[in-house]
């Protein structure tokens, strides 16, 4: 079955970076894109950006431009999201989700199980 | 960015009740509107895509309608397993944006 499995929880100091991974299985990795969405504790869903696993093109939400990098490794069907210069308000659960390969504009299905990133001194 | 206004933010209903949630977009998004269900501690799950198309495997008591700026999500007969928070999401324009969520509880 189509599945996205993410890396485990992280605790980071303010100013540090975090890199979350997302392992895809059950489908042809390069036929679908990957979006990243985060959810702060008790809050709603916030789209961070998208990467095409076929072209490597990215589209980042303006809020995260300059601070986020999304990459893929097609040989291992892995997607990565790195967020730099972490602040306390970056504390959230980060999700990867499968979308379209040539555009970020789509529904997201399925989603990974989520990775809790805690930023605290 | 397109703002998605979802209401109510929470509701309480009895098992078997009809439940309706609305989502309003700040500009015309045609039918580029999806609905998700998120249970506590779990990832969101896609229920309805393109405003009214039921995702494979989703029970038929879930329906969606609307186009343009006004959309409706309905649970025809609320079941105990439907306790969750529901989100709308538009993809008429980037960035993708979500409604604030509706928490559904059993009365």
């Amino acid at each position: 079955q189509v599945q996205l499995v993410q890396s485990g929880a992280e605790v980071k100091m303010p100013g540090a970076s975090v890199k979350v991974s997302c392992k895809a299985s059950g489908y042809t990795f390069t036929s679908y894109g990957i979006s990243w969405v985060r959810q702060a504790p008790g809050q709603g869903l916030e789209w961070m950006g998208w990467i095409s696993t076929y072209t490597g093109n990215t589209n980042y939400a303006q809020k995260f431009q300059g601070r986020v990098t999304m990459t893929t490794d097609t040989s291992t069907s892995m997607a990565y999201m790195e967020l730099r210069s972490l602040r306390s308000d970056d504390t959230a659960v980060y999700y990867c989700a499968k979308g379209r390969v040539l555009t970020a504009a789509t529904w997201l299905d399925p989603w990974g199980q989520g990775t809790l990133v805690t930023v605290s001194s | 960015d397109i703002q998605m206004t979802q209401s109510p933010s929470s509701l309480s209903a009895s098992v078997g009740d009809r439940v309706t949630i609305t989502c309003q977009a700040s500009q015309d998004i045609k039918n580029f509107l999806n609905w998700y269900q998120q249970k506590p501690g779990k990832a969101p799950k896609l229920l309805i895509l393109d405003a009214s198309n039921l995702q494979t495997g989703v029970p038929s008591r879930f329906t969606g309608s609307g186009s343009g700026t006004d959309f409706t999500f309905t649970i025809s007969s609320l079941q105990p397993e439907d306790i969750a928070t529901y989100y709308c999401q538009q993809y008429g324009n980037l960035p993708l944006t979500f409604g604030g969520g509706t928490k559904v509880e059993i009365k």
Side-chain angles (χ1 to χ4, degrees), chain A residues 39 59 95 106-109 112, chain B residues 36 38 43 55 87 89 94:
Chain A
Q39 185 171 39
N59 188 308
Y95 294 101
T106 188
W107 54 88
L108 302 174
D109 180 62
Chain B
Y36 299 86
Q38 185 178 33
Q55 174 66 327
Y87 293 93
Q89 173 243 320
L94 295 179

Side-chain angles (χ1 to χ4, degrees), chain A residues 63-111:
Chain A
K63 175 177 180 176
F64 300 101
Q65 287 273 3
R67 212 161 62 93
V68 71
T69 301
M70 295 176 188
T71 57
T72 63
D73 181 343
T74 57
S75 68
T76 56
S77 299
M78 296 283 290
Y80 301 91
M81 187 283 299
E82 181 181 34
L83 189 62
R84 299 177 292 278
S85 302
L86 289 168
R87 307 183 287 257
S88 58
D89 62 358
D90 290 318
T91 294
V93 175
Y94 290 76
Y95 294 101
C96 61
K98 173 175 158 283
R100 284 181 176 158
V101 73
L102 294 181
T103 175
T106 188
W107 54 88
L108 302 174
D109 180 62
W111 297 50

Side-chain angles (χ1 to χ4, degrees), chain B residues 39-84:
Chain B
K39 296 185 177 180
K42 299 296 186 182
K45 174 187 174 184
L46 177 68
L47 297 183
I48 290 173
L49 54 120
D50 290 342
S52 61
N53 294 319
L54 200 64
Q55 174 66 327
T56 303
V58 174
S60 59
R61 64 180 180 273
F62 296 103
T63 59
S65 64
S67 66
T69 60
D70 295 301
F71 301 87
T72 300
F73 172 83
T74 300
I75 307 173
S76 61
S77 177
L78 186 67
Q79 300 302 302
E81 60 266 32
D82 300 336
I83 299 313

Side-chain angles (χ1 to χ4, degrees), chain A:
Chain A
Q1 75 282 22
V2 176
Q3 197 173 7
L4 299 175
V5 177
Q6 299 182 222
S7 49
E10 303 259 14
V11 179
K12 295 292 184 180
M13 298 280 285
S17 298
V18 68
K19 192 170 186 177
V20 179
S21 69
C22 172
K23 168 78 172 172
S25 61
Y27 70 96
T28 301
F29 183 65
T30 51
S31 293
Y32 297 88
I34 295 286
S35 270
W36 290 87
V37 176
R38 76 177 187 179
Q39 185 171 39
Q43 302 301 307
L45 301 167
E46 180 177 35
W47 182 75
M48 300 178 67
W50 161 91
I51 182 166
S52 169
T53 57
Y54 182 68
T55 64
N57 289 348
T58 55
N59 188 308
Y60 300 142
Q62 187 170 10
K63 175 177 180 176
F64 300 101
Q65 287 273 3
R67 212 161 62 93
V68 71
T69 301
M70 295 176 188
T71 57
T72 63
D73 181 343
T74 57
S75 68
T76 56
S77 299
M78 296 283 290
Y80 301 91
M81 187 283 299
E82 181 181 34
L83 189 62
R84 299 177 292 278
S85 302
L86 289 168
R87 307 183 287 257
S88 58
D89 62 358
D90 290 318
T91 294
V93 175
Y94 290 76
Y95 294 101
C96 61
K98 173 175 158 283
R100 284 181 176 158
V101 73
L102 294 181
T103 175
T106 188
W107 54 88
L108 302 174
D109 180 62
W111 297 50
Q113 85 277 17
T115 297
L116 174 62
V117 175
T118 303
V119 183
S120 174
S121 55

Side-chain angles (χ1 to χ4, degrees), chain A residues 43-45, chain B residues 4-6 9 85-88 98-102:
Chain A
Q43 302 301 307
L45 301 167
Chain B
M4 304 302 294
T5 304
Q6 194 175 331
S9 56
T85 299
Y86 294 84
Y87 293 93
C88 60
F98 294 84
T102 297

Side-chain angles (χ1 to χ4, degrees), chain B residues 7-10 15-16 18 26-27 33 40-42 71 77 80 82 99:
Chain B
S7 62
S9 56
S10 66
V15 172
R18 184 181 185 86
S26 60
Q27 63 189 75
L33 189 284
K42 299 296 186 182
F71 301 87
S77 177
D82 300 336

